[in-house]
Amino acid sequence: MAGIGFALRKLARRDDLLGVLQGYAHSAFITSGPWMFTILALAGINLVGKDLVAMEELTLFRVVVIYNFCFSVVFTGPLVMVATRYLADAIYAKQVDTAPGMLLATLGLAYAIAALTAGPFYLFLSDLPAPMAAAALINFFLVSGIWVVSIFLSALKDYVAVTTAFGFGMLAATVATGVLGAFAGPTGMVWGFSAGLAVIQFGLIARVFAEYPYRVARLFAFMAYFRKYWDLALVGLFANLAVWVDKWIMWFVPERETVSGAMVIYSAYDSAMFVAYLTIVPALTLFTVNIETRFFERYQGFYRDIQSHATYDQIARNHKSIIAALLESSRNLIILQGAVCAVTIFLAPSIVGALGLHYQQIGMFRFGTLGAFFQVLFLFCTVILAYFDLRKRNLCAQLFYLAANAGFTLLFSDMGFAWYGYGYFLSSLLAFALAYLMVADALRRLPYFAFVANNPSVR
C-alpha cells in the first residue's frame, strides 16, 4: 500500500520547491483521483453546460453521473478489496506474473456486475429514452472499470503516467461533454463524459500491461481469496455503503427532486457534501507521502526483526518506535486537517458564494466539513487495522459506521432542514472514536497479536 508513497516522498524531498509541489500534486491524484476527477469535472461541466442545455437536461446528466459513481463503487467494493489483497500478496511473494490475467478477470467481473445491476435499472426503472439509457449504461461500465484498474495505482511507480491519465481524462471529459452536449443534449453530454473516462481507464490499463509484461494466464486464480478473505470482501461492501448511505437517505427528504422514473436526488445536500469532501485532499496527500511511508518503515522493521529471531528488548524497542511514529504522524495530520477544517468553516459563506451554491447550503456544508474531518481520521485508523491484518475489527468498525450514518441521518432528516448534515457529522465522530480505541488497543498489545492472536500458524 505504501509502494508509490516512497517514490513520491523522494520527489517531495528534492531540494527545490518544484519537487515538493510535484510530489504532493501526484499524491493527490494517486489517492483520490477517481472521485476528485468526478467533482472537478462535474464543476467544469456545470459551468460550460448551463449555457448549452436547459437546466433540466443538465440536472439529468449530473444525476446519471452521480448514480453511476456511487452505485458502481458499492457493487465493485468487495471485488476490489479482495483483488487488492491478492495483488499485494503476489507482489510480496514476487509472483506478479498473474497480474495481467487478474486485471482482465476483474474487469470482466466488474462489467458483469454492471450488466446485472445497472442494466435492469436503466432499461426498466429509469424511464430514460433508449439512447440516454444506453449512454448511461456504458458510462456505468467505464466507471466500474476505473475502480478495478485503481487496484494497480499504488503498485505503479510511474506516478507521472497516472497523473497524466487523470489530467487528460478530465480535460477530454470537459471538452467532449461541452461539444457533444451542444448537439445532442444530455445524451451527448453523457457520451462526452464517457470519452474522458475511457481515456483514463484505457490509459491506466496500458500502463499496467507495460509494468507487468507477462502472458495472460490464471485469470481467476484470485477467486479463491473470496473464501479465505470473506471478511475483507464485506469490509469493501460496508465501507462504501457507509460513505453513501446518508446521501441515499437524503434523496427521500421532502425537498428531493424526482428526475426521471425511479431516479431521485437532493442536489443541495449532495453538492454541499461533495465540496466538503475536497477538504480532505491535503490530509490524504500528507498521509501517502509522509505518514504511511514512515509508519511502514517501522512496521516492516518490527516484523523483519521477529523473523530474524530478535531479542525481546529489540522487539520492545521496535514496538515503541511504531507507537512513537504514529503519535507524531497523527499530531501532524490532526493539525493540518484541523486547520483546513477551521478555515473552511470560517470562510463557508465566501466559499459557497464563489462556487455558485445557495446560501441555505452553508449549514450542510459546515456539517459536511466537520464530518469529513472525522471521516478521514476514521479512514486512517482502518488503514492501520488493515496493516496489522485485524480484519474482524475493521469489519466491525465499518459496520458500525454504516449503521450510525444510516440511523443518525434518518433521525435528523425527520427533524427538518436545519438538521441536515448533522447525522453524517455525528456518525463520523463516533466511528472515529471507536476505530481509534480499536487501534490503540491493538498497538498496546502488538507483540501479543504478532505472536499469538493474529499469528497464522497459531490459528
Side-chain angles (χ1 to χ4, degrees):
M1 293 168 68
I4 201 168
F6 289 103
L8 294 173
R9 185 177 70 174
K10 183 178 180 180
L11 178 63
R13 286 180 173 179
R14 218 171 60 190
D15 194 21
D16 60 82
L17 181 60
L18 183 60
V20 175
L21 293 176
Q22 286 179 338
Y24 285 100
H26 288 304
S27 178
F29 279 99
I30 296 298
T31 56
S32 49
W35 63 267
M36 189 169 72
F37 160 77
T38 312
I39 296 173
L40 295 178
L42 280 177
I45 291 166
N46 195 55
L47 291 174
V48 175
K50 64 183 180 180
D51 297 325
L52 299 175
V53 297
M55 186 54 65
E56 295 79 10
E57 295 179 326
L58 187 59
T59 300
L60 178 59
F61 161 76
R62 190 166 58 242
V63 170
V64 167
V65 173
I66 292 173
Y67 268 54
N68 285 351
F69 267 80
C70 74
F71 288 108
S72 64
V73 73
V74 170
F75 293 146
T76 60
L79 173 65
V80 167
M81 287 294 286
V82 173
T84 300
R85 177 58 190 254
Y86 179 83
L87 178 64
D89 288 351
I91 292 174
Y92 178 78
K94 295 181 173 59
Q95 297 175 352
V96 294
D97 56 310
T98 59
M102 191 197 80
L103 173 60
L104 294 180
T106 50
L107 280 173
L109 290 173
Y111 294 155
I113 292 171
L116 293 173
T117 55
F121 177 80
Y122 281 123
L123 294 178
F124 304 114
L125 300 176
S126 66
D127 286 349
L128 293 174
M132 182 65 172
L137 187 56
I138 294 299
N139 186 268
F140 194 98
F141 274 74
L142 289 168
V143 177
S144 300
I146 287 179
W147 298 127
V148 168
V149 180
S150 296
I151 296 170
F152 293 84
L153 293 189
S154 63
L156 295 175
K157 303 302 187 291
D158 190 358
Y159 47 80
V160 176
V162 175
T163 304
T164 302
F166 279 112
F168 274 108
M170 284 171 41
L171 180 61
T174 304
V175 173
T177 301
V179 173
L180 295 179
F183 292 99
T187 302
M189 295 180 72
V190 175
W191 280 115
F193 191 71
S194 297
L197 295 178
V199 170
I200 295 176
Q201 182 179 148
F202 294 111
L204 293 176
I205 289 174
R207 190 65 198 88
V208 171
F209 279 115
E211 182 77 13
Y212 301 102
Y214 305 105
R215 288 182 55 199
V216 174
R218 300 172 60 198
L219 277 75
F220 295 97
F222 72 96
M223 292 296 289
Y225 268 46
F226 276 95
R227 178 180 297 179
K228 183 178 181 180
Y229 295 108
W230 59 268
D231 43 9
L232 198 58
L234 290 179
V235 167
L237 177 63
F238 292 152
N240 290 309
L241 282 173
V243 170
W244 281 99
V245 69
D246 61 306
K247 286 80 174 171
W248 295 344
I249 292 173
M250 294 302 295
W251 290 355
F252 294 93
V253 298
E255 297 88 347
R256 72 183 184 276
E257 312 154 49
T258 300
V259 181
S260 177
M263 301 178 72
V264 294
I265 201 76
Y266 183 32
S267 299
Y269 183 84
D270 291 342
S271 57
M273 291 298 163
F274 291 163
V275 175
Y277 281 152
L278 289 177
T279 62
I280 70 175
V281 172
L284 290 173
T285 56
L286 178 68
F287 182 79
T288 303
V289 176
N290 292 113
I291 297 175
E292 190 177 16
T293 51
R294 184 184 307 169
F295 162 74
F296 182 75
E297 288 171 337
R298 273 67 171 185
Y299 164 90
Q300 197 175 40
F302 177 81
Y303 286 101
R304 183 180 58 239
D305 285 353
I306 288 176
Q307 291 176 334
S308 302
H309 309 289
T311 63
Y312 175 78
D313 288 340
Q314 182 60 45
I315 293 173
R317 283 194 296 270
N318 290 341
H319 182 201
K320 292 179 181 178
S321 177
I322 288 179
I323 295 176
L326 282 176
L327 287 175
E328 181 182 357
S329 300
S330 300
R331 180 198 64 195
N332 295 339
L333 183 68
I334 291 173
I335 290 174
L336 172 64
Q337 189 61 29
V340 171
C341 181
V343 170
T344 302
I345 291 174
F346 180 74
L347 297 177
S350 301
I351 295 173
V352 167
L355 295 175
L357 302 179
H358 199 281
Y359 282 103
Q360 289 181 333
Q361 296 174 262
I362 291 177
M364 287 185 285
F365 176 61
R366 283 173 166 160
F367 279 131
T369 302
L370 279 172
F373 171 66
F374 290 107
Q375 184 181 349
V376 76
L377 296 179
F378 170 79
L379 171 65
F380 296 152
C381 288
T382 59
V383 169
I384 301 304
L385 291 175
Y387 265 107
F388 295 125
D389 204 26
L390 299 173
R391 300 191 300 275
K392 299 295 190 299
R393 293 192 178 206
N394 216 334
L395 179 59
C396 290
Q398 299 294 353
L399 186 57
F400 175 83
Y401 190 23
L402 171 60
N405 203 8
F408 284 125
T409 302
L410 191 60
L411 172 66
F412 289 109
S413 65
D414 290 337
M415 296 174 64
F417 182 85
W419 295 92
Y420 290 174
Y422 196 84
Y424 165 64
F425 154 65
L426 188 58
S427 61
S428 297
L429 171 61
L430 294 178
F432 162 65
L434 175 64
Y436 171 78
L437 292 176
M438 289 181 173
V439 171
D441 177 68
L443 286 174
R444 181 177 61 85
R445 300 193 294 156
L446 184 57
Y448 168 74
F449 279 103
F451 282 97
V452 181
N454 213 35
N455 187 336
S457 62
V458 173
R459 289 186 304 193

